[in-house]
mmCIF file with all atom_site columns, all heavy atoms in Angstrom:
data_model
loop_
_atom_site.group_PDB
_atom_site.id
_atom_site.type_symbol
_atom_site.label_atom_id
_atom_site.label_alt_id
_atom_site.label_comp_id
_atom_site.label_asym_id
_atom_site.label_entity_id
_atom_site.label_seq_id
_atom_site.pdbx_PDB_ins_code
_atom_site.Cartn_x
_atom_site.Cartn_y
_atom_site.Cartn_z
_atom_site.occupancy
_atom_site.B_iso_or_equiv
_atom_site.pdbx_formal_charge
_atom_site.auth_seq_id
_atom_site.auth_comp_id
_atom_site.auth_asym_id
_atom_site.auth_atom_id
_atom_site.pdbx_PDB_model_num
ATOM 1   N N   . SER A 1 31  ? -38.576 60.716 -45.561 1.00 0.00 ? 38  SER A N   1
ATOM 2   C CA  . SER A 1 31  ? -37.522 59.906 -46.161 1.00 0.00 ? 38  SER A CA  1
ATOM 3   C C   . SER A 1 31  ? -37.375 58.604 -45.383 1.00 0.00 ? 38  SER A C   1
ATOM 4   O O   . SER A 1 31  ? -37.273 58.616 -44.149 1.00 0.00 ? 38  SER A O   1
ATOM 5   C CB  . SER A 1 31  ? -36.201 60.666 -46.146 1.00 0.00 ? 38  SER A CB  1
ATOM 6   O OG  . SER A 1 31  ? -35.134 59.822 -46.492 1.00 0.00 ? 38  SER A OG  1
ATOM 7   N N   . SER A 1 33  ? -35.075 54.984 -45.543 1.00 0.00 ? 40  SER A N   1
ATOM 8   C CA  . SER A 1 33  ? -33.975 54.235 -46.153 1.00 0.00 ? 40  SER A CA  1
ATOM 9   C C   . SER A 1 33  ? -33.951 52.826 -45.588 1.00 0.00 ? 40  SER A C   1
ATOM 10  O O   . SER A 1 33  ? -34.356 52.601 -44.442 1.00 0.00 ? 40  SER A O   1
ATOM 11  C CB  . SER A 1 33  ? -32.631 54.918 -45.859 1.00 0.00 ? 40  SER A CB  1
ATOM 12  O OG  . SER A 1 33  ? -32.605 56.218 -46.390 1.00 0.00 ? 40  SER A OG  1
ATOM 13  N N   . TYR A 1 35  ? -31.422 49.293 -45.070 1.00 0.00 ? 42  TYR A N   1
ATOM 14  C CA  . TYR A 1 35  ? -30.062 48.777 -45.028 1.00 0.00 ? 42  TYR A CA  1
ATOM 15  C C   . TYR A 1 35  ? -30.103 47.285 -44.689 1.00 0.00 ? 42  TYR A C   1
ATOM 16  O O   . TYR A 1 35  ? -30.973 46.822 -43.958 1.00 0.00 ? 42  TYR A O   1
ATOM 17  C CB  . TYR A 1 35  ? -29.244 49.493 -43.942 1.00 0.00 ? 42  TYR A CB  1
ATOM 18  C CG  . TYR A 1 35  ? -29.029 50.956 -44.201 1.00 0.00 ? 42  TYR A CG  1
ATOM 19  C CD1 . TYR A 1 35  ? -29.984 51.903 -43.832 1.00 0.00 ? 42  TYR A CD1 1
ATOM 20  C CD2 . TYR A 1 35  ? -27.863 51.411 -44.814 1.00 0.00 ? 42  TYR A CD2 1
ATOM 21  C CE1 . TYR A 1 35  ? -29.796 53.248 -44.078 1.00 0.00 ? 42  TYR A CE1 1
ATOM 22  C CE2 . TYR A 1 35  ? -27.663 52.756 -45.056 1.00 0.00 ? 42  TYR A CE2 1
ATOM 23  C CZ  . TYR A 1 35  ? -28.634 53.666 -44.686 1.00 0.00 ? 42  TYR A CZ  1
ATOM 24  O OH  . TYR A 1 35  ? -28.437 55.000 -44.941 1.00 0.00 ? 42  TYR A OH  1
ATOM 25  N N   . GLN A 1 37  ? -27.784 44.321 -42.924 1.00 0.00 ? 44  GLN A N   1
ATOM 26  C CA  . GLN A 1 37  ? -26.630 44.104 -42.056 1.00 0.00 ? 44  GLN A CA  1
ATOM 27  C C   . GLN A 1 37  ? -26.334 42.615 -41.957 1.00 0.00 ? 44  GLN A C   1
ATOM 28  O O   . GLN A 1 37  ? -27.172 41.829 -41.502 1.00 0.00 ? 44  GLN A O   1
ATOM 29  C CB  . GLN A 1 37  ? -26.876 44.681 -40.660 1.00 0.00 ? 44  GLN A CB  1
ATOM 30  C CG  . GLN A 1 37  ? -25.651 44.579 -39.762 1.00 0.00 ? 44  GLN A CG  1
ATOM 31  C CD  . GLN A 1 37  ? -25.842 45.224 -38.396 1.00 0.00 ? 44  GLN A CD  1
ATOM 32  O OE1 . GLN A 1 37  ? -26.963 45.394 -37.916 1.00 0.00 ? 44  GLN A OE1 1
ATOM 33  N NE2 . GLN A 1 37  ? -24.753 45.609 -37.760 1.00 0.00 ? 44  GLN A NE2 1
ATOM 34  N N   . ARG A 1 55  ? -35.295 57.499 -54.513 1.00 0.00 ? 62  ARG A N   1
ATOM 35  C CA  . ARG A 1 55  ? -34.313 58.542 -54.822 1.00 0.00 ? 62  ARG A CA  1
ATOM 36  C C   . ARG A 1 55  ? -32.919 57.984 -55.003 1.00 0.00 ? 62  ARG A C   1
ATOM 37  O O   . ARG A 1 55  ? -32.123 58.514 -55.768 1.00 0.00 ? 62  ARG A O   1
ATOM 38  C CB  . ARG A 1 55  ? -34.259 59.584 -53.694 1.00 0.00 ? 62  ARG A CB  1
ATOM 39  C CG  . ARG A 1 55  ? -35.273 60.658 -53.801 1.00 0.00 ? 62  ARG A CG  1
ATOM 40  C CD  . ARG A 1 55  ? -34.881 61.883 -53.021 1.00 0.00 ? 62  ARG A CD  1
ATOM 41  N NE  . ARG A 1 55  ? -34.549 61.648 -51.620 1.00 0.00 ? 62  ARG A NE  1
ATOM 42  C CZ  . ARG A 1 55  ? -34.542 62.624 -50.716 1.00 0.00 ? 62  ARG A CZ  1
ATOM 43  N NH1 . ARG A 1 55  ? -34.843 63.857 -51.065 1.00 0.00 ? 62  ARG A NH1 1
ATOM 44  N NH2 . ARG A 1 55  ? -34.221 62.366 -49.470 1.00 0.00 ? 62  ARG A NH2 1
ATOM 45  N N   . SER A 1 94  ? -35.823 59.885 -41.861 1.00 0.00 ? 101 SER A N   1
ATOM 46  C CA  . SER A 1 94  ? -35.131 61.165 -41.757 1.00 0.00 ? 101 SER A CA  1
ATOM 47  C C   . SER A 1 94  ? -36.059 62.283 -42.202 1.00 0.00 ? 101 SER A C   1
ATOM 48  O O   . SER A 1 94  ? -36.935 62.071 -43.041 1.00 0.00 ? 101 SER A O   1
ATOM 49  C CB  . SER A 1 94  ? -33.878 61.134 -42.630 1.00 0.00 ? 101 SER A CB  1
ATOM 50  O OG  . SER A 1 94  ? -33.329 62.414 -42.792 1.00 0.00 ? 101 SER A OG  1
ATOM 51  N N   . GLY A 1 99  ? -31.130 66.809 -51.506 1.00 0.00 ? 106 GLY A N   1
ATOM 52  C CA  . GLY A 1 99  ? -29.873 67.530 -51.461 1.00 0.00 ? 106 GLY A CA  1
ATOM 53  C C   . GLY A 1 99  ? -29.363 67.860 -50.081 1.00 0.00 ? 106 GLY A C   1
ATOM 54  O O   . GLY A 1 99  ? -28.315 68.473 -49.933 1.00 0.00 ? 106 GLY A O   1
ATOM 55  N N   . THR A 1 100 ? -30.070 67.461 -49.049 1.00 0.00 ? 107 THR A N   1
ATOM 56  C CA  . THR A 1 100 ? -29.594 67.748 -47.697 1.00 0.00 ? 107 THR A CA  1
ATOM 57  C C   . THR A 1 100 ? -29.293 66.451 -46.972 1.00 0.00 ? 107 THR A C   1
ATOM 58  O O   . THR A 1 100 ? -29.838 65.406 -47.300 1.00 0.00 ? 107 THR A O   1
ATOM 59  C CB  . THR A 1 100 ? -30.641 68.527 -46.882 1.00 0.00 ? 107 THR A CB  1
ATOM 60  O OG1 . THR A 1 100 ? -31.802 67.706 -46.715 1.00 0.00 ? 107 THR A OG1 1
ATOM 61  C CG2 . THR A 1 100 ? -31.037 69.809 -47.584 1.00 0.00 ? 107 THR A CG2 1
ATOM 62  N N   . THR A 1 101 ? -28.426 66.551 -45.995 1.00 0.00 ? 108 THR A N   1
ATOM 63  C CA  . THR A 1 101 ? -28.135 65.387 -45.159 1.00 0.00 ? 108 THR A CA  1
ATOM 64  C C   . THR A 1 101 ? -28.666 65.653 -43.763 1.00 0.00 ? 108 THR A C   1
ATOM 65  O O   . THR A 1 101 ? -28.249 66.604 -43.110 1.00 0.00 ? 108 THR A O   1
ATOM 66  C CB  . THR A 1 101 ? -26.622 65.143 -45.094 1.00 0.00 ? 108 THR A CB  1
ATOM 67  O OG1 . THR A 1 101 ? -26.136 64.875 -46.406 1.00 0.00 ? 108 THR A OG1 1
ATOM 68  C CG2 . THR A 1 101 ? -26.325 63.960 -44.193 1.00 0.00 ? 108 THR A CG2 1
ATOM 69  N N   . ARG A 1 102 ? -29.574 64.828 -43.343 1.00 0.00 ? 109 ARG A N   1
ATOM 70  C CA  . ARG A 1 102 ? -30.098 64.916 -41.979 1.00 0.00 ? 109 ARG A CA  1
ATOM 71  C C   . ARG A 1 102 ? -29.839 63.593 -41.285 1.00 0.00 ? 109 ARG A C   1
ATOM 72  O O   . ARG A 1 102 ? -29.758 62.560 -41.930 1.00 0.00 ? 109 ARG A O   1
ATOM 73  C CB  . ARG A 1 102 ? -31.599 65.182 -42.001 1.00 0.00 ? 109 ARG A CB  1
ATOM 74  C CG  . ARG A 1 102 ? -31.992 66.527 -42.562 1.00 0.00 ? 109 ARG A CG  1
ATOM 75  C CD  . ARG A 1 102 ? -31.762 67.628 -41.555 1.00 0.00 ? 109 ARG A CD  1
ATOM 76  N NE  . ARG A 1 102 ? -32.261 68.910 -42.051 1.00 0.00 ? 109 ARG A NE  1
ATOM 77  C CZ  . ARG A 1 102 ? -31.517 69.770 -42.737 1.00 0.00 ? 109 ARG A CZ  1
ATOM 78  N NH1 . ARG A 1 102 ? -30.269 69.500 -42.994 1.00 0.00 ? 109 ARG A NH1 1
ATOM 79  N NH2 . ARG A 1 102 ? -32.051 70.894 -43.138 1.00 0.00 ? 109 ARG A NH2 1
ATOM 80  N N   . GLU A 1 103 ? -29.751 63.638 -39.968 1.00 0.00 ? 110 GLU A N   1
ATOM 81  C CA  . GLU A 1 103 ? -29.500 62.381 -39.273 1.00 0.00 ? 110 GLU A CA  1
ATOM 82  C C   . GLU A 1 103 ? -30.644 61.412 -39.504 1.00 0.00 ? 110 GLU A C   1
ATOM 83  O O   . GLU A 1 103 ? -31.796 61.802 -39.631 1.00 0.00 ? 110 GLU A O   1
ATOM 84  C CB  . GLU A 1 103 ? -29.283 62.605 -37.776 1.00 0.00 ? 110 GLU A CB  1
ATOM 85  C CG  . GLU A 1 103 ? -30.309 63.438 -37.084 1.00 0.00 ? 110 GLU A CG  1
ATOM 86  C CD  . GLU A 1 103 ? -29.860 64.895 -37.005 1.00 0.00 ? 110 GLU A CD  1
ATOM 87  O OE1 . GLU A 1 103 ? -29.314 65.412 -37.995 1.00 0.00 ? 110 GLU A OE1 1
ATOM 88  O OE2 . GLU A 1 103 ? -30.101 65.507 -35.960 1.00 0.00 ? 110 GLU A OE2 1
ATOM 89  N N   . GLN A 1 104 ? -30.284 60.153 -39.561 1.00 0.00 ? 111 GLN A N   1
ATOM 90  C CA  . GLN A 1 104 ? -31.258 59.099 -39.757 1.00 0.00 ? 111 GLN A CA  1
ATOM 91  C C   . GLN A 1 104 ? -31.514 58.395 -38.440 1.00 0.00 ? 111 GLN A C   1
ATOM 92  O O   . GLN A 1 104 ? -30.598 58.161 -37.656 1.00 0.00 ? 111 GLN A O   1
ATOM 93  C CB  . GLN A 1 104 ? -30.749 58.098 -40.801 1.00 0.00 ? 111 GLN A CB  1
ATOM 94  C CG  . GLN A 1 104 ? -30.609 58.724 -42.176 1.00 0.00 ? 111 GLN A CG  1
ATOM 95  C CD  . GLN A 1 104 ? -30.264 57.724 -43.243 1.00 0.00 ? 111 GLN A CD  1
ATOM 96  O OE1 . GLN A 1 104 ? -30.659 56.566 -43.195 1.00 0.00 ? 111 GLN A OE1 1
ATOM 97  N NE2 . GLN A 1 104 ? -29.530 58.165 -44.239 1.00 0.00 ? 111 GLN A NE2 1
ATOM 98  N N   . PHE A 1 106 ? -32.976 54.998 -36.719 1.00 0.00 ? 113 PHE A N   1
ATOM 99  C CA  . PHE A 1 106 ? -33.153 53.612 -37.104 1.00 0.00 ? 113 PHE A CA  1
ATOM 100 C C   . PHE A 1 106 ? -34.201 52.892 -36.261 1.00 0.00 ? 113 PHE A C   1
ATOM 101 O O   . PHE A 1 106 ? -34.353 53.164 -35.070 1.00 0.00 ? 113 PHE A O   1
ATOM 102 C CB  . PHE A 1 106 ? -31.827 52.853 -36.983 1.00 0.00 ? 113 PHE A CB  1
ATOM 103 C CG  . PHE A 1 106 ? -30.864 53.155 -38.093 1.00 0.00 ? 113 PHE A CG  1
ATOM 104 C CD1 . PHE A 1 106 ? -30.119 54.318 -38.091 1.00 0.00 ? 113 PHE A CD1 1
ATOM 105 C CD2 . PHE A 1 106 ? -30.720 52.273 -39.147 1.00 0.00 ? 113 PHE A CD2 1
ATOM 106 C CE1 . PHE A 1 106 ? -29.234 54.600 -39.118 1.00 0.00 ? 113 PHE A CE1 1
ATOM 107 C CE2 . PHE A 1 106 ? -29.835 52.543 -40.178 1.00 0.00 ? 113 PHE A CE2 1
ATOM 108 C CZ  . PHE A 1 106 ? -29.099 53.705 -40.169 1.00 0.00 ? 113 PHE A CZ  1
ATOM 109 N N   . GLY A 1 107 ? -34.872 51.947 -36.910 1.00 0.00 ? 114 GLY A N   1
ATOM 110 C CA  . GLY A 1 107 ? -35.739 51.038 -36.198 1.00 0.00 ? 114 GLY A CA  1
ATOM 111 C C   . GLY A 1 107 ? -34.935 49.871 -35.638 1.00 0.00 ? 114 GLY A C   1
ATOM 112 O O   . GLY A 1 107 ? -33.726 49.776 -35.856 1.00 0.00 ? 114 GLY A O   1
ATOM 113 N N   . TYR B 2 36  ? -22.441 56.004 -35.007 1.00 0.00 ? 62  TYR B N   1
ATOM 114 C CA  . TYR B 2 36  ? -23.635 55.315 -34.533 1.00 0.00 ? 62  TYR B CA  1
ATOM 115 C C   . TYR B 2 36  ? -23.203 54.215 -33.566 1.00 0.00 ? 62  TYR B C   1
ATOM 116 O O   . TYR B 2 36  ? -22.107 53.665 -33.679 1.00 0.00 ? 62  TYR B O   1
ATOM 117 C CB  . TYR B 2 36  ? -24.408 54.686 -35.693 1.00 0.00 ? 62  TYR B CB  1
ATOM 118 C CG  . TYR B 2 36  ? -25.271 55.647 -36.465 1.00 0.00 ? 62  TYR B CG  1
ATOM 119 C CD1 . TYR B 2 36  ? -24.747 56.408 -37.500 1.00 0.00 ? 62  TYR B CD1 1
ATOM 120 C CD2 . TYR B 2 36  ? -26.619 55.795 -36.157 1.00 0.00 ? 62  TYR B CD2 1
ATOM 121 C CE1 . TYR B 2 36  ? -25.548 57.291 -38.212 1.00 0.00 ? 62  TYR B CE1 1
ATOM 122 C CE2 . TYR B 2 36  ? -27.430 56.675 -36.867 1.00 0.00 ? 62  TYR B CE2 1
ATOM 123 C CZ  . TYR B 2 36  ? -26.883 57.421 -37.887 1.00 0.00 ? 62  TYR B CZ  1
ATOM 124 O OH  . TYR B 2 36  ? -27.678 58.297 -38.597 1.00 0.00 ? 62  TYR B OH  1
ATOM 125 N N   . GLN B 2 38  ? -24.606 50.525 -31.668 1.00 0.00 ? 64  GLN B N   1
ATOM 126 C CA  . GLN B 2 38  ? -25.602 49.452 -31.709 1.00 0.00 ? 64  GLN B CA  1
ATOM 127 C C   . GLN B 2 38  ? -25.436 48.577 -30.472 1.00 0.00 ? 64  GLN B C   1
ATOM 128 O O   . GLN B 2 38  ? -24.419 47.905 -30.311 1.00 0.00 ? 64  GLN B O   1
ATOM 129 C CB  . GLN B 2 38  ? -25.450 48.614 -32.982 1.00 0.00 ? 64  GLN B CB  1
ATOM 130 C CG  . GLN B 2 38  ? -26.542 47.579 -33.180 1.00 0.00 ? 64  GLN B CG  1
ATOM 131 C CD  . GLN B 2 38  ? -26.418 46.870 -34.517 1.00 0.00 ? 64  GLN B CD  1
ATOM 132 O OE1 . GLN B 2 38  ? -25.336 46.608 -35.015 1.00 0.00 ? 64  GLN B OE1 1
ATOM 133 N NE2 . GLN B 2 38  ? -27.571 46.544 -35.127 1.00 0.00 ? 64  GLN B NE2 1
ATOM 134 N N   . GLY B 2 43  ? -31.418 48.282 -32.958 1.00 0.00 ? 69  GLY B N   1
ATOM 135 C CA  . GLY B 2 43  ? -30.989 48.993 -34.154 1.00 0.00 ? 69  GLY B CA  1
ATOM 136 C C   . GLY B 2 43  ? -29.887 49.974 -33.813 1.00 0.00 ? 69  GLY B C   1
ATOM 137 O O   . GLY B 2 43  ? -29.318 49.953 -32.717 1.00 0.00 ? 69  GLY B O   1
ATOM 138 N N   . LEU B 2 44  ? -29.592 50.840 -34.737 1.00 0.00 ? 70  LEU B N   1
ATOM 139 C CA  . LEU B 2 44  ? -28.518 51.816 -34.550 1.00 0.00 ? 70  LEU B CA  1
ATOM 140 C C   . LEU B 2 44  ? -29.059 53.090 -33.907 1.00 0.00 ? 70  LEU B C   1
ATOM 141 O O   . LEU B 2 44  ? -30.155 53.539 -34.230 1.00 0.00 ? 70  LEU B O   1
ATOM 142 C CB  . LEU B 2 44  ? -27.905 52.177 -35.906 1.00 0.00 ? 70  LEU B CB  1
ATOM 143 C CG  . LEU B 2 44  ? -27.301 51.030 -36.707 1.00 0.00 ? 70  LEU B CG  1
ATOM 144 C CD1 . LEU B 2 44  ? -26.862 51.533 -38.070 1.00 0.00 ? 70  LEU B CD1 1
ATOM 145 C CD2 . LEU B 2 44  ? -26.122 50.450 -35.964 1.00 0.00 ? 70  LEU B CD2 1
ATOM 146 N N   . LEU B 2 46  ? -27.921 57.139 -33.246 1.00 0.00 ? 72  LEU B N   1
ATOM 147 C CA  . LEU B 2 46  ? -26.953 58.179 -33.556 1.00 0.00 ? 72  LEU B CA  1
ATOM 148 C C   . LEU B 2 46  ? -26.272 58.629 -32.265 1.00 0.00 ? 72  LEU B C   1
ATOM 149 O O   . LEU B 2 46  ? -26.931 59.006 -31.299 1.00 0.00 ? 72  LEU B O   1
ATOM 150 C CB  . LEU B 2 46  ? -27.644 59.367 -34.220 1.00 0.00 ? 72  LEU B CB  1
ATOM 151 C CG  . LEU B 2 46  ? -26.748 60.554 -34.541 1.00 0.00 ? 72  LEU B CG  1
ATOM 152 C CD1 . LEU B 2 46  ? -25.704 60.175 -35.588 1.00 0.00 ? 72  LEU B CD1 1
ATOM 153 C CD2 . LEU B 2 46  ? -27.578 61.737 -35.025 1.00 0.00 ? 72  LEU B CD2 1
ATOM 154 N N   . LYS B 2 49  ? -22.429 63.679 -34.481 1.00 0.00 ? 75  LYS B N   1
ATOM 155 C CA  . LYS B 2 49  ? -22.211 63.979 -35.893 1.00 0.00 ? 75  LYS B CA  1
ATOM 156 C C   . LYS B 2 49  ? -21.404 65.262 -36.037 1.00 0.00 ? 75  LYS B C   1
ATOM 157 O O   . LYS B 2 49  ? -21.307 66.074 -35.108 1.00 0.00 ? 75  LYS B O   1
ATOM 158 C CB  . LYS B 2 49  ? -23.540 64.133 -36.623 1.00 0.00 ? 75  LYS B CB  1
ATOM 159 C CG  . LYS B 2 49  ? -24.322 65.373 -36.195 1.00 0.00 ? 75  LYS B CG  1
ATOM 160 C CD  . LYS B 2 49  ? -25.542 65.592 -37.062 1.00 0.00 ? 75  LYS B CD  1
ATOM 161 C CE  . LYS B 2 49  ? -26.250 66.901 -36.667 1.00 0.00 ? 75  LYS B CE  1
ATOM 162 N NZ  . LYS B 2 49  ? -27.413 67.186 -37.524 1.00 0.00 ? 75  LYS B NZ  1
ATOM 163 N N   . PHE B 2 89  ? -20.157 52.265 -35.012 1.00 0.00 ? 115 PHE B N   1
ATOM 164 C CA  . PHE B 2 89  ? -20.010 52.405 -36.457 1.00 0.00 ? 115 PHE B CA  1
ATOM 165 C C   . PHE B 2 89  ? -19.733 53.859 -36.820 1.00 0.00 ? 115 PHE B C   1
ATOM 166 O O   . PHE B 2 89  ? -20.471 54.759 -36.419 1.00 0.00 ? 115 PHE B O   1
ATOM 167 C CB  . PHE B 2 89  ? -21.289 51.967 -37.186 1.00 0.00 ? 115 PHE B CB  1
ATOM 168 C CG  . PHE B 2 89  ? -21.606 50.515 -37.084 1.00 0.00 ? 115 PHE B CG  1
ATOM 169 C CD1 . PHE B 2 89  ? -22.406 50.040 -36.057 1.00 0.00 ? 115 PHE B CD1 1
ATOM 170 C CD2 . PHE B 2 89  ? -21.098 49.619 -38.015 1.00 0.00 ? 115 PHE B CD2 1
ATOM 171 C CE1 . PHE B 2 89  ? -22.706 48.691 -35.963 1.00 0.00 ? 115 PHE B CE1 1
ATOM 172 C CE2 . PHE B 2 89  ? -21.396 48.272 -37.928 1.00 0.00 ? 115 PHE B CE2 1
ATOM 173 C CZ  . PHE B 2 89  ? -22.197 47.806 -36.903 1.00 0.00 ? 115 PHE B CZ  1
ATOM 174 N N   . SER B 2 93  ? -22.011 60.600 -45.151 1.00 0.00 ? 119 SER B N   1
ATOM 175 C CA  . SER B 2 93  ? -23.114 60.838 -46.067 1.00 0.00 ? 119 SER B CA  1
ATOM 176 C C   . SER B 2 93  ? -22.811 62.101 -46.854 1.00 0.00 ? 119 SER B C   1
ATOM 177 O O   . SER B 2 93  ? -22.252 63.048 -46.307 1.00 0.00 ? 119 SER B O   1
ATOM 178 C CB  . SER B 2 93  ? -24.423 60.998 -45.291 1.00 0.00 ? 119 SER B CB  1
ATOM 179 O OG  . SER B 2 93  ? -25.501 61.216 -46.177 1.00 0.00 ? 119 SER B OG  1
ATOM 180 N N   . GLY B 2 95  ? -24.869 64.687 -48.969 1.00 0.00 ? 121 GLY B N   1
ATOM 181 C CA  . GLY B 2 95  ? -26.016 65.360 -49.556 1.00 0.00 ? 121 GLY B CA  1
ATOM 182 C C   . GLY B 2 95  ? -27.173 64.465 -49.914 1.00 0.00 ? 121 GLY B C   1
ATOM 183 O O   . GLY B 2 95  ? -27.971 64.778 -50.768 1.00 0.00 ? 121 GLY B O   1
ATOM 184 N N   . ALA B 2 96  ? -27.268 63.333 -49.277 1.00 0.00 ? 122 ALA B N   1
ATOM 185 C CA  . ALA B 2 96  ? -28.369 62.404 -49.574 1.00 0.00 ? 122 ALA B CA  1
ATOM 186 C C   . ALA B 2 96  ? -28.589 61.542 -48.345 1.00 0.00 ? 122 ALA B C   1
ATOM 187 O O   . ALA B 2 96  ? -27.746 61.461 -47.472 1.00 0.00 ? 122 ALA B O   1
ATOM 188 C CB  . ALA B 2 96  ? -28.037 61.536 -50.775 1.00 0.00 ? 122 ALA B CB  1
ATOM 189 N N   . GLN B 2 97  ? -29.741 60.916 -48.306 1.00 0.00 ? 123 GLN B N   1
ATOM 190 C CA  . GLN B 2 97  ? -30.044 60.079 -47.150 1.00 0.00 ? 123 GLN B CA  1
ATOM 191 C C   . GLN B 2 97  ? -29.476 58.679 -47.361 1.00 0.00 ? 123 GLN B C   1
ATOM 192 O O   . GLN B 2 97  ? -30.176 57.683 -47.267 1.00 0.00 ? 123 GLN B O   1
ATOM 193 C CB  . GLN B 2 97  ? -31.560 60.035 -46.930 1.00 0.00 ? 123 GLN B CB  1
ATOM 194 C CG  . GLN B 2 97  ? -32.199 61.395 -46.854 1.00 0.00 ? 123 GLN B CG  1
ATOM 195 C CD  . GLN B 2 97  ? -31.453 62.339 -45.925 1.00 0.00 ? 123 GLN B CD  1
ATOM 196 O OE1 . GLN B 2 97  ? -31.156 61.992 -44.798 1.00 0.00 ? 123 GLN B OE1 1
ATOM 197 N NE2 . GLN B 2 97  ? -31.138 63.525 -46.413 1.00 0.00 ? 123 GLN B NE2 1
ATOM 198 N N   . LYS B 2 98  ? -28.197 58.612 -47.679 1.00 0.00 ? 124 LYS B N   1
ATOM 199 C CA  . LYS B 2 98  ? -27.528 57.339 -47.879 1.00 0.00 ? 124 LYS B CA  1
ATOM 200 C C   . LYS B 2 98  ? -26.262 57.355 -47.036 1.00 0.00 ? 124 LYS B C   1
ATOM 201 O O   . LYS B 2 98  ? -25.381 58.195 -47.232 1.00 0.00 ? 124 LYS B O   1
ATOM 202 C CB  . LYS B 2 98  ? -27.156 57.146 -49.349 1.00 0.00 ? 124 LYS B CB  1
ATOM 203 C CG  . LYS B 2 98  ? -26.274 55.942 -49.609 1.00 0.00 ? 124 LYS B CG  1
ATOM 204 C CD  . LYS B 2 98  ? -25.788 55.921 -51.041 1.00 0.00 ? 124 LYS B CD  1
ATOM 205 C CE  . LYS B 2 98  ? -24.763 54.810 -51.227 1.00 0.00 ? 124 LYS B CE  1
ATOM 206 N NZ  . LYS B 2 98  ? -24.250 54.755 -52.616 1.00 0.00 ? 124 LYS B NZ  1
ATOM 207 N N   . LEU B 2 99  ? -26.186 56.431 -46.093 1.00 0.00 ? 125 LEU B N   1
ATOM 208 C CA  . LEU B 2 99  ? -25.023 56.332 -45.226 1.00 0.00 ? 125 LEU B CA  1
ATOM 209 C C   . LEU B 2 99  ? -24.091 55.247 -45.735 1.00 0.00 ? 125 LEU B C   1
ATOM 210 O O   . LEU B 2 99  ? -24.526 54.156 -46.108 1.00 0.00 ? 125 LEU B O   1
ATOM 211 C CB  . LEU B 2 99  ? -25.449 56.000 -43.797 1.00 0.00 ? 125 LEU B CB  1
ATOM 212 C CG  . LEU B 2 99  ? -26.146 57.136 -43.034 1.00 0.00 ? 125 LEU B CG  1
ATOM 213 C CD1 . LEU B 2 99  ? -26.868 56.575 -41.812 1.00 0.00 ? 125 LEU B CD1 1
ATOM 214 C CD2 . LEU B 2 99  ? -25.143 58.186 -42.610 1.00 0.00 ? 125 LEU B CD2 1
#
Side-chain angles (χ1 to χ4, degrees):
Chain A
S38 169
S40 299
Y42 295 85
Q44 185 176 23
R62 275 201 307 199
S101 168
T107 64
T108 298
R109 294 283 185 269
E110 50 265 42
Q111 295 187 32
F113 284 79
Chain B
Y62 280 85
Q64 187 175 36
L70 301 175
L72 177 65
K75 68 173 184 178
F115 293 91
S119 181
Q123 307 312 310
K124 171 188 173 180
L125 288 164

